[in-house]
Amino acid sequence: MDLKHIDFKDSSFTANGTEYFIKNTLTVERFMHFEKLQVHVGFGKDFKAIFKDLDMAITLADKGKGVEAWSIILNMRNGVAQKLEDRMHPALLLCTLFVITKDEDITQWDEELGKRKIDDWRKEPFDMNDFFRLAANLVTGFIPILNELTQDISKKLKKATSLMSNI
């Protein structure tokens, strides 16, 4: 069975008998949810986990353990390009803010509404990459940073491989 793809030029698609429209703007209410979800999609962690990591880095730095503090910070930075598959659910939820039905009240949003939409999408053989691509494009600056980190990691791997071949 072939996977279905979303044609972003059409700005609409049908899933489980419901027509969905892709919008590029949000109401104030939805934007407040977007702010939380974009952090989770971008870093693979929610705000609370990021705050905890930063707090730990500060505590370590205050104790003179700069290397350990920097390790936490670098791991957070590199986490942008790692375990992308773990971000599928937050990415789908983020998409539900922008992907609406004809009669949907765009001044409201909650996770239950998002889950109902995702259930529709799951009933069709859509390629998850389409939703992840949509979410990644909606998170401000994610794609350029991901590309930069991926290139940096590739360079480090090539250098390590080169060093290993010289041994």
Side-chain angles (χ1 to χ4, degrees), residues 39-40 43-57 72 76:
V39 170
H40 201 156
F43 283 95
K45 294 181 176 193
D46 63 13
F47 176 81
K48 186 177 179 181
I50 292 169
F51 186 83
K52 182 181 172 189
D53 286 350
L54 289 172
D55 198 38
M56 177 60 75
I72 290 171
M76 287 175 58

Side-chain angles (χ1 to χ4, degrees), residues 80 136-137 139-151:
V80 171
N137 280 301
V139 174
T140 306
F142 181 76
I143 297 293
I145 291 169
L146 177 63
N147 289 337
E148 180 182 318
L149 289 172
T150 304
Q151 289 173 1

Side-chain angles (χ1 to χ4, degrees), residues 129-167:
N129 287 322
D130 290 350
F131 291 102
F132 190 73
R133 185 177 310 120
L134 176 60
N137 280 301
L138 293 168
V139 174
T140 306
F142 181 76
I143 297 293
I145 291 169
L146 177 63
N147 289 337
E148 180 182 318
L149 289 172
T150 304
Q151 289 173 1
D152 187 46
I153 291 168
S154 293
K155 287 178 188 175
K156 287 179 182 176
L157 285 174
K158 285 180 185 175
K159 185 175 181 181
T161 303
S162 175
L163 289 172
M164 293 300 286
S165 66
N166 291 333
I167 295 178

